[in-house]
Amino acid sequence: MNNFLYRHRFLLSRRIVQIALLTIYFGGNVYGWTVLQGNLSSALVFGFIPLSDPFATLQMFFAGAVITTDILMGVAVVLFVYSVIGGRFFCSWVCPVNIITETAAWLRRKLNLTDKKKRVSFSRNIRYWVIVISLGLSFFFSLAAFEMISPIGIAFRGVVFGFGMGWLFLVAIFLFDLFSQSYGWCGHICPLGGFNTLIGRYSIVKVVHDSDKCVHALECFKVCPEVEVLAKVGRESVPISGACIKCGRCIEGCPSDAFKVSIVNMASMVKG
Amino acid sequence: MDIPNSKERRDFLQNMMKGVGYGALGIIAWSSYLSQSQARNLTLRPPGAIFEKDFVRTCIRCGMCVEACPFDILKLSTISDQISIGTPYFTPRTEACRLCPDIPCASICPTQALDLKSLTKENKLSITSARMGLATINTKTCLAYLGLQCTMCIRACPLADEAIFLRSERNPRTDMHAFLKPVVNPDFCTGCGMCEHACPTTVASIQILPLAISKGDIGSHYVVGWKEGDEARIDEDSTEVTLEKTKRSEKSAIDNLDDVEGILKGLYDE
């Protein structure tokens, strides 16, 4: 049992953080807690530290909205955090949709739905196109286009403020990820994931691979939701960068402890 | 043409066009949802909300106003509400705005989609400056207009005698009773909806409509002559012109009628 807990220490911590955040925001709405008020678009920590979603703010800018200093300060705080621990840590540690898509991926593995020959394969670069389209549509319709359909917003607001029929959207994503494309939403389409990849590129905290310890078990490839980031694994000792969501599944799964979380300085990153 | 590469090039182009196809489908679906979401509706926004079109693009959908509302009157719209998703609104018939003097909803708004400046008078918060909508009376179903004594709306109104006042009129049907008809004064009505909430008819006979629909605008081409300064507006607006006419065209057509000879010869005879 202890072994199970240890082997899933990152997964369990992430679920605890995700659910704790939902609970704290929920309490902020229902019981008036002031630890975290608002939601993932914009929030206040302890009633005074502002947080704002940089991608939502960028869309609002394209929509022609006046951006206030409160929002800009919130964006600055978030960008600072992302520059330290990486933008996509949001995807695996905060985003509620991650729970849905990882459950779909787990079920997909259990049901053995990963037959290579039959798999529909989308490009992972779609998300960058979705960013471009989001900003374009924001401009044309004078509305933050992605925020209007974002399943992240729907899920989070749903838990904190009530769902309406929004849960159907989440069921659709679950089915899409389960049957159509492994990590289809989070790993291919979601523009927020793409955006966080771009702004968290030079983060200091990264998962680092040690190829001397690697025994080529390929366990990391089985569980990694963004397998492209493992391209050099087994051949070179490198920090895992790019679209890595820092979920820690590779660390848990590796039989020879070839991965660890580490602080990477700029110099070695430029070299690596 | 580079024959050995043509298969690769063909595949590349084909894949690219596949992307264009998916993209077109996605953009059309997305766009149609966005354009429908802008369809004009009867949404009532919290105090201080800027114009609807600016509101939906400025609101970051954080829901802090909803959390701040001490009476839980504000709701955050969901995808099935037919209101721009994730934005705050209230429904007066269910729960009306209580006009908190400290305005917690607009005070916490990080985007100024709820503009606290519009709710500030002489550096003090003034909730009565809010214009969330305008109470509008259906005079065919209002009990008071039918001749019954009601006064529910004026009793509920936080600005009674100003936003709603009663006009006393003779009732010609009985010739011995009075109508006590409620009248809304748009100069004072905040659109809080207490009247709509209180109205005893099955469907409220006094309802809050968003200002975009209920508020008239006289425009600039009418002059209210008895209002000081309004006449002067015409002089400000008019531009000086000169109009040079010929001697004949200065006279009217009738005066020129008999001068056939002059017209034919192109001469003007005094």
Side-chain angles (χ1 to χ4, degrees), chain A residues 64-103:
Chain A
V66 178
I67 313 288
T68 61
T69 31
D70 282 2
I71 294 292
L72 287 178
M73 272 157 58
V75 169
V77 173
V78 170
L79 288 180
F80 173 74
V81 174
Y82 283 2
S83 69
V84 176
I85 52 179
R88 287 213 76 185
F89 104 95
F90 170 88
C91 300
S92 60
W93 289 83
V94 180
C95 183
V97 176
N98 172 264
I99 304 176
I100 297 165
T101 57
E102 280 190 350
T103 309

mmCIF file of all heavy atoms in Angstrom, chain A residues 64-103:
data_model
loop_
_atom_site.group_PDB
_atom_site.id
_atom_site.type_symbol
_atom_site.label_atom_id
_atom_site.label_comp_id
_atom_site.label_asym_id
_atom_site.label_seq_id
_atom_site.Cartn_x
_atom_site.Cartn_y
_atom_site.Cartn_z
ATOM 1 N N GLY A 64 -10.504 44.619 -27.904
ATOM 2 C CA GLY A 64 -10.639 46.062 -27.781
ATOM 3 C C GLY A 64 -11.082 46.518 -26.415
ATOM 4 O O GLY A 64 -11.539 47.645 -26.257
ATOM 5 N N ALA A 65 -10.970 45.658 -25.409
ATOM 6 C CA ALA A 65 -11.369 46.069 -24.064
ATOM 7 C C ALA A 65 -10.270 46.917 -23.435
ATOM 8 O O ALA A 65 -9.102 46.794 -23.784
ATOM 9 C CB ALA A 65 -11.632 44.845 -23.198
ATOM 10 N N VAL A 66 -10.665 47.788 -22.527
ATOM 11 C CA VAL A 66 -9.698 48.564 -21.765
ATOM 12 C C VAL A 66 -9.168 47.667 -20.651
ATOM 13 O O VAL A 66 -9.933 47.120 -19.872
ATOM 14 C CB VAL A 66 -10.363 49.816 -21.159
ATOM 15 C CG1 VAL A 66 -9.360 50.604 -20.329
ATOM 16 C CG2 VAL A 66 -10.962 50.680 -22.250
ATOM 17 N N ILE A 67 -7.848 47.467 -20.600
ATOM 18 C CA ILE A 67 -7.256 46.590 -19.585
ATOM 19 C C ILE A 67 -6.837 47.441 -18.392
ATOM 20 O O ILE A 67 -6.032 48.360 -18.531
ATOM 21 C CB ILE A 67 -6.032 45.834 -20.157
ATOM 22 C CG1 ILE A 67 -6.346 45.219 -21.528
ATOM 23 C CG2 ILE A 67 -5.546 44.777 -19.172
ATOM 24 C CD1 ILE A 67 -7.259 44.052 -21.526
ATOM 25 N N THR A 68 -7.351 47.124 -17.224
ATOM 26 C CA THR A 68 -7.059 47.943 -16.043
ATOM 27 C C THR A 68 -5.723 47.543 -15.414
ATOM 28 O O THR A 68 -5.189 46.472 -15.689
ATOM 29 C CB THR A 68 -8.148 47.765 -14.986
ATOM 30 O OG1 THR A 68 -8.171 46.390 -14.596
ATOM 31 C CG2 THR A 68 -9.500 48.156 -15.527
ATOM 32 N N THR A 69 -5.203 48.411 -14.554
ATOM 33 C CA THR A 69 -3.945 48.107 -13.865
ATOM 34 C C THR A 69 -4.107 46.893 -12.951
ATOM 35 O O THR A 69 -3.176 46.116 -12.796
ATOM 36 C CB THR A 69 -3.446 49.298 -13.024
ATOM 37 O OG1 THR A 69 -4.573 50.016 -12.561
ATOM 38 C CG2 THR A 69 -2.549 50.202 -13.813
ATOM 39 N N ASP A 70 -5.288 46.738 -12.334
ATOM 40 C CA ASP A 70 -5.518 45.564 -11.486
ATOM 41 C C ASP A 70 -5.256 44.282 -12.270
ATOM 42 O O ASP A 70 -4.585 43.363 -11.795
ATOM 43 C CB ASP A 70 -6.980 45.541 -10.996
ATOM 44 C CG ASP A 70 -7.197 46.508 -9.849
ATOM 45 O OD1 ASP A 70 -6.225 47.197 -9.488
ATOM 46 O OD2 ASP A 70 -8.324 46.571 -9.336
ATOM 47 N N ILE A 71 -5.793 44.234 -13.481
ATOM 48 C CA ILE A 71 -5.629 43.045 -14.313
ATOM 49 C C ILE A 71 -4.168 42.880 -14.711
ATOM 50 O O ILE A 71 -3.606 41.790 -14.641
ATOM 51 C CB ILE A 71 -6.533 43.148 -15.567
ATOM 52 C CG1 ILE A 71 -8.016 43.104 -15.161
ATOM 53 C CG2 ILE A 71 -6.217 42.066 -16.575
ATOM 54 C CD1 ILE A 71 -8.480 41.791 -14.613
ATOM 55 N N LEU A 72 -3.522 43.980 -15.114
ATOM 56 C CA LEU A 72 -2.126 43.885 -15.542
ATOM 57 C C LEU A 72 -1.230 43.406 -14.407
ATOM 58 O O LEU A 72 -0.316 42.606 -14.616
ATOM 59 C CB LEU A 72 -1.643 45.246 -16.066
ATOM 60 C CG LEU A 72 -2.204 45.627 -17.433
ATOM 61 C CD1 LEU A 72 -1.708 47.005 -17.844
ATOM 62 C CD2 LEU A 72 -1.830 44.592 -18.487
ATOM 63 N N MET A 73 -1.506 43.878 -13.189
ATOM 64 C CA MET A 73 -0.718 43.419 -12.048
ATOM 65 C C MET A 73 -0.936 41.923 -11.833
ATOM 66 O O MET A 73 0.014 41.173 -11.563
ATOM 67 C CB MET A 73 -1.111 44.186 -10.783
ATOM 68 C CG MET A 73 -0.306 45.471 -10.616
ATOM 69 S SD MET A 73 -1.150 46.665 -9.569
ATOM 70 C CE MET A 73 -1.340 45.726 -8.067
ATOM 71 N N GLY A 74 -2.186 41.491 -11.981
ATOM 72 C CA GLY A 74 -2.485 40.065 -11.857
ATOM 73 C C GLY A 74 -1.738 39.251 -12.889
ATOM 74 O O GLY A 74 -1.191 38.180 -12.591
ATOM 75 N N VAL A 75 -1.683 39.762 -14.122
ATOM 76 C CA VAL A 75 -0.950 39.079 -15.189
ATOM 77 C C VAL A 75 0.534 39.001 -14.835
ATOM 78 O O VAL A 75 1.179 37.961 -15.003
ATOM 79 C CB VAL A 75 -1.161 39.805 -16.538
ATOM 80 C CG1 VAL A 75 -0.203 39.284 -17.591
ATOM 81 C CG2 VAL A 75 -2.593 39.644 -17.002
ATOM 82 N N ALA A 76 1.080 40.099 -14.289
ATOM 83 C CA ALA A 76 2.503 40.132 -13.933
ATOM 84 C C ALA A 76 2.823 39.075 -12.881
ATOM 85 O O ALA A 76 3.832 38.363 -12.992
ATOM 86 C CB ALA A 76 2.879 41.525 -13.423
ATOM 87 N N VAL A 77 1.958 38.940 -11.877
ATOM 88 C CA VAL A 77 2.187 37.936 -10.839
ATOM 89 C C VAL A 77 2.199 36.536 -11.455
ATOM 90 O O VAL A 77 3.101 35.727 -11.190
ATOM 91 C CB VAL A 77 1.095 38.034 -9.731
ATOM 92 C CG1 VAL A 77 1.237 36.881 -8.754
ATOM 93 C CG2 VAL A 77 1.182 39.362 -9.014
ATOM 94 N N VAL A 78 1.209 36.259 -12.321
ATOM 95 C CA VAL A 78 1.120 34.932 -12.935
ATOM 96 C C VAL A 78 2.338 34.665 -13.819
ATOM 97 O O VAL A 78 2.938 33.585 -13.767
ATOM 98 C CB VAL A 78 -0.192 34.803 -13.748
ATOM 99 C CG1 VAL A 78 -0.186 33.545 -14.592
ATOM 100 C CG2 VAL A 78 -1.390 34.803 -12.800
ATOM 101 N N LEU A 79 2.738 35.667 -14.610
ATOM 102 C CA LEU A 79 3.903 35.477 -15.488
ATOM 103 C C LEU A 79 5.162 35.207 -14.667
ATOM 104 O O LEU A 79 5.993 34.390 -15.049
ATOM 105 C CB LEU A 79 4.115 36.708 -16.382
ATOM 106 C CG LEU A 79 3.097 36.882 -17.503
ATOM 107 C CD1 LEU A 79 3.425 38.128 -18.310
ATOM 108 C CD2 LEU A 79 3.056 35.663 -18.411
ATOM 109 N N PHE A 80 5.267 35.881 -13.517
ATOM 110 C CA PHE A 80 6.421 35.651 -12.665
ATOM 111 C C PHE A 80 6.442 34.198 -12.171
ATOM 112 O O PHE A 80 7.469 33.513 -12.255
ATOM 113 C CB PHE A 80 6.406 36.619 -11.470
ATOM 114 C CG PHE A 80 7.480 36.332 -10.459
ATOM 115 C CD1 PHE A 80 8.800 36.649 -10.732
ATOM 116 C CD2 PHE A 80 7.174 35.703 -9.253
ATOM 117 C CE1 PHE A 80 9.791 36.364 -9.812
ATOM 118 C CE2 PHE A 80 8.163 35.413 -8.333
ATOM 119 C CZ PHE A 80 9.478 35.743 -8.613
ATOM 120 N N VAL A 81 5.299 33.717 -11.706
ATOM 121 C CA VAL A 81 5.215 32.332 -11.219
ATOM 122 C C VAL A 81 5.551 31.361 -12.352
ATOM 123 O O VAL A 81 6.329 30.421 -12.183
ATOM 124 C CB VAL A 81 3.812 32.043 -10.649
ATOM 125 C CG1 VAL A 81 3.665 30.571 -10.278
ATOM 126 C CG2 VAL A 81 3.546 32.913 -9.426
ATOM 127 N N TYR A 82 5.001 31.620 -13.547
ATOM 128 C CA TYR A 82 5.250 30.739 -14.683
ATOM 129 C C TYR A 82 6.728 30.738 -15.074
ATOM 130 O O TYR A 82 7.265 29.730 -15.515
ATOM 131 C CB TYR A 82 4.413 31.166 -15.893
ATOM 132 C CG TYR A 82 2.954 30.772 -15.812
ATOM 133 C CD1 TYR A 82 2.448 30.122 -14.682
ATOM 134 C CD2 TYR A 82 2.093 31.023 -16.868
ATOM 135 C CE1 TYR A 82 1.120 29.773 -14.612
ATOM 136 C CE2 TYR A 82 0.757 30.662 -16.804
ATOM 137 C CZ TYR A 82 0.274 30.039 -15.667
ATOM 138 O OH TYR A 82 -1.035 29.684 -15.603
ATOM 139 N N SER A 83 7.373 31.889 -14.915
ATOM 140 C CA SER A 83 8.780 31.935 -15.314
ATOM 141 C C SER A 83 9.647 31.140 -14.341
ATOM 142 O O SER A 83 10.764 30.775 -14.662
ATOM 143 C CB SER A 83 9.267 33.385 -15.406
ATOM 144 O OG SER A 83 9.323 33.936 -14.103
ATOM 145 N N VAL A 84 9.128 30.882 -13.147
ATOM 146 C CA VAL A 84 9.886 30.070 -12.199
ATOM 147 C C VAL A 84 9.572 28.584 -12.374
ATOM 148 O O VAL A 84 10.464 27.770 -12.596
ATOM 149 C CB VAL A 84 9.590 30.502 -10.736
ATOM 150 C CG1 VAL A 84 10.310 29.581 -9.767
ATOM 151 C CG2 VAL A 84 10.004 31.944 -10.525
ATOM 152 N N ILE A 85 8.269 28.232 -12.303
ATOM 153 C CA ILE A 85 7.969 26.799 -12.329
ATOM 154 C C ILE A 85 7.388 26.323 -13.656
ATOM 155 O O ILE A 85 7.063 25.157 -13.805
ATOM 156 C CB ILE A 85 7.020 26.402 -11.170
ATOM 157 C CG1 ILE A 85 5.793 27.299 -11.151
ATOM 158 C CG2 ILE A 85 7.737 26.431 -9.851
ATOM 159 C CD1 ILE A 85 4.825 26.929 -10.056
ATOM 160 N N GLY A 86 7.284 27.232 -14.630
ATOM 161 C CA GLY A 86 6.840 26.793 -15.949
ATOM 162 C C GLY A 86 5.346 26.941 -16.129
ATOM 163 O O GLY A 86 4.574 26.663 -15.218
ATOM 164 N N GLY A 87 4.948 27.388 -17.326
ATOM 165 C CA GLY A 87 3.543 27.666 -17.583
ATOM 166 C C GLY A 87 2.663 26.445 -17.509
ATOM 167 O O GLY A 87 1.539 26.487 -17.023
ATOM 168 N N ARG A 88 3.181 25.308 -17.991
ATOM 169 C CA ARG A 88 2.292 24.168 -18.113
ATOM 170 C C ARG A 88 2.131 23.395 -16.815
ATOM 171 O O ARG A 88 1.386 22.426 -16.761
ATOM 172 C CB ARG A 88 2.762 23.248 -19.235
ATOM 173 C CG ARG A 88 2.483 23.873 -20.586
ATOM 174 C CD ARG A 88 2.167 22.847 -21.623
ATOM 175 N NE ARG A 88 0.835 22.309 -21.504
ATOM 176 C CZ ARG A 88 0.378 21.315 -22.254
ATOM 177 N NH1 ARG A 88 1.157 20.765 -23.147
ATOM 178 N NH2 ARG A 88 -0.846 20.873 -22.093
ATOM 179 N N PHE A 89 2.809 23.836 -15.763
ATOM 180 C CA PHE A 89 2.511 23.224 -14.471
ATOM 181 C C PHE A 89 1.030 23.453 -14.160
ATOM 182 O O PHE A 89 0.387 22.652 -13.508
ATOM 183 C CB PHE A 89 3.416 23.816 -13.385
ATOM 184 C CG PHE A 89 2.740 24.796 -12.495
ATOM 185 C CD1 PHE A 89 2.203 24.375 -11.275
ATOM 186 C CD2 PHE A 89 2.575 26.121 -12.878
ATOM 187 C CE1 PHE A 89 1.535 25.278 -10.460
ATOM 188 C CE2 PHE A 89 1.910 27.014 -12.067
ATOM 189 C CZ PHE A 89 1.383 26.594 -10.863
ATOM 190 N N PHE A 90 0.491 24.579 -14.684
ATOM 191 C CA PHE A 90 -0.935 24.881 -14.531
ATOM 192 C C PHE A 90 -1.792 23.707 -15.008
ATOM 193 O O PHE A 90 -2.756 23.318 -14.367
ATOM 194 C CB PHE A 90 -1.279 26.145 -15.343
ATOM 195 C CG PHE A 90 -2.757 26.421 -15.465
ATOM 196 C CD1 PHE A 90 -3.411 27.177 -14.500
ATOM 197 C CD2 PHE A 90 -3.488 25.912 -16.527
ATOM 198 C CE1 PHE A 90 -4.771 27.423 -14.602
ATOM 199 C CE2 PHE A 90 -4.850 26.150 -16.637
ATOM 200 C CZ PHE A 90 -5.490 26.908 -15.665
ATOM 201 N N CYS A 91 -1.387 23.146 -16.177
ATOM 202 C CA CYS A 91 -2.197 22.099 -16.803
ATOM 203 C C CYS A 91 -2.343 20.874 -15.900
ATOM 204 O O CYS A 91 -3.400 20.282 -15.819
ATOM 205 C CB CYS A 91 -1.594 21.688 -18.136
ATOM 206 S SG CYS A 91 -1.502 23.052 -19.306
ATOM 207 N N SER A 92 -1.250 20.469 -15.251
ATOM 208 C CA SER A 92 -1.314 19.223 -14.497
ATOM 209 C C SER A 92 -1.589 19.418 -13.012
ATOM 210 O O SER A 92 -2.001 18.488 -12.340
ATOM 211 C CB SER A 92 -0.009 18.444 -14.671
ATOM 212 O OG SER A 92 1.068 19.202 -14.194
ATOM 213 N N TRP A 93 -1.381 20.624 -12.494
ATOM 214 C CA TRP A 93 -1.553 20.834 -11.052
ATOM 215 C C TRP A 93 -2.783 21.656 -10.709
ATOM 216 O O TRP A 93 -3.219 21.656 -9.559
ATOM 217 C CB TRP A 93 -0.319 21.521 -10.457
ATOM 218 C CG TRP A 93 0.877 20.622 -10.400
ATOM 219 C CD1 TRP A 93 1.747 20.371 -11.420
ATOM 220 C CD2 TRP A 93 1.321 19.835 -9.286
ATOM 221 N NE1 TRP A 93 2.710 19.483 -11.014
ATOM 222 C CE2 TRP A 93 2.480 19.137 -9.698
ATOM 223 C CE3 TRP A 93 0.863 19.652 -7.982
ATOM 224 C CZ2 TRP A 93 3.176 18.274 -8.866
ATOM 225 C CZ3 TRP A 93 1.559 18.796 -7.141
ATOM 226 C CH2 TRP A 93 2.701 18.108 -7.593
ATOM 227 N N VAL A 94 -3.311 22.428 -11.654
ATOM 228 C CA VAL A 94 -4.423 23.325 -11.338
ATOM 229 C C VAL A 94 -5.673 23.003 -12.147
ATOM 230 O O VAL A 94 -6.769 22.880 -11.602
ATOM 231 C CB VAL A 94 -4.011 24.801 -11.581
ATOM 232 C CG1 VAL A 94 -5.164 25.740 -11.255
ATOM 233 C CG2 VAL A 94 -2.786 25.159 -10.738
ATOM 234 N N CYS A 95 -5.490 22.861 -13.467
ATOM 235 C CA CYS A 95 -6.634 22.784 -14.377
ATOM 236 C C CYS A 95 -7.555 21.604 -14.055
ATOM 237 O O CYS A 95 -7.102 20.458 -13.986
ATOM 238 C CB CYS A 95 -6.147 22.665 -15.813
ATOM 239 S SG CYS A 95 -7.502 22.649 -16.986
ATOM 240 N N PRO A 96 -8.858 21.843 -13.862
ATOM 241 C CA PRO A 96 -9.778 20.754 -13.539
ATOM 242 C C PRO A 96 -10.038 19.813 -14.724
ATOM 243 O O PRO A 96 -10.402 18.657 -14.522
ATOM 244 C CB PRO A 96 -11.062 21.475 -13.119
ATOM 245 C CG PRO A 96 -10.987 22.813 -13.763
ATOM 246 C CD PRO A 96 -9.538 23.148 -13.873
ATOM 247 N N VAL A 97 -9.840 20.330 -15.953
ATOM 248 C CA VAL A 97 -10.075 19.481 -17.133
ATOM 249 C C VAL A 97 -9.041 18.355 -17.173
ATOM 250 O O VAL A 97 -9.293 17.268 -17.697
ATOM 251 C CB VAL A 97 -10.050 20.327 -18.428
ATOM 252 C CG1 VAL A 97 -10.195 19.466 -19.662
ATOM 253 C CG2 VAL A 97 -11.153 21.371 -18.391
ATOM 254 N N ASN A 98 -7.870 18.617 -16.594
ATOM 255 C CA ASN A 98 -6.819 17.607 -16.524
ATOM 256 C C ASN A 98 -7.318 16.326 -15.838
ATOM 257 O O ASN A 98 -6.965 15.215 -16.239
ATOM 258 C CB ASN A 98 -5.623 18.198 -15.760
ATOM 259 C CG ASN A 98 -4.558 17.178 -15.453
ATOM 260 O OD1 ASN A 98 -4.530 16.611 -14.382
ATOM 261 N ND2 ASN A 98 -3.685 16.928 -16.428
ATOM 262 N N ILE A 99 -8.158 16.470 -14.815
ATOM 263 C CA ILE A 99 -8.689 15.293 -14.125
ATOM 264 C C ILE A 99 -9.521 14.465 -15.105
ATOM 265 O O ILE A 99 -9.400 13.236 -15.161
ATOM 266 C CB ILE A 99 -9.563 15.720 -12.913
ATOM 267 C CG1 ILE A 99 -8.753 16.620 -11.979
ATOM 268 C CG2 ILE A 99 -10.102 14.508 -12.184
ATOM 269 C CD1 ILE A 99 -9.542 17.168 -10.798
ATOM 270 N N ILE A 100 -10.324 15.153 -15.916
ATOM 271 C CA ILE A 100 -11.189 14.466 -16.874
ATOM 272 C C ILE A 100 -10.364 13.754 -17.937
ATOM 273 O O ILE A 100 -10.565 12.575 -18.226
ATOM 274 C CB ILE A 100 -12.138 15.486 -17.530
ATOM 275 C CG1 ILE A 100 -13.045 16.099 -16.473
ATOM 276 C CG2 ILE A 100 -12.952 14.840 -18.645
ATOM 277 C CD1 ILE A 100 -13.759 17.344 -16.931
ATOM 278 N N THR A 101 -9.388 14.483 -18.513
ATOM 279 C CA THR A 101 -8.652 13.893 -19.636
ATOM 280 C C THR A 101 -7.689 12.801 -19.177
ATOM 281 O O THR A 101 -7.478 11.828 -19.885
ATOM 282 C CB THR A 101 -7.891 14.967 -20.420
ATOM 283 O OG1 THR A 101 -7.026 15.652 -19.531
ATOM 284 C CG2 THR A 101 -8.838 15.957 -21.051
ATOM 285 N N GLU A 102 -7.118 12.941 -17.972
ATOM 286 C CA GLU A 102 -6.232 11.875 -17.495
ATOM 287 C C GLU A 102 -7.030 10.622 -17.137
ATOM 288 O O GLU A 102 -6.552 9.502 -17.318
ATOM 289 C CB GLU A 102 -5.398 12.351 -16.298
ATOM 290 C CG GLU A 102 -4.215 13.188 -16.746
ATOM 291 C CD GLU A 102 -3.229 13.482 -15.619
ATOM 292 O OE1 GLU A 102 -3.546 13.204 -14.456
ATOM 293 O OE2 GLU A 102 -2.146 13.991 -15.933
ATOM 294 N N THR A 103 -8.260 10.822 -16.657
ATOM 295 C CA THR A 103 -9.120 9.668 -16.403
ATOM 296 C C THR A 103 -9.445 8.970 -17.718
ATOM 297 O O THR A 103 -9.406 7.739 -17.815
ATOM 298 C CB THR A 103 -10.426 10.112 -15.707
ATOM 299 O OG1 THR A 103 -10.079 10.911 -14.589
ATOM 300 C CG2 THR A 103 -11.239 8.925 -15.255
#
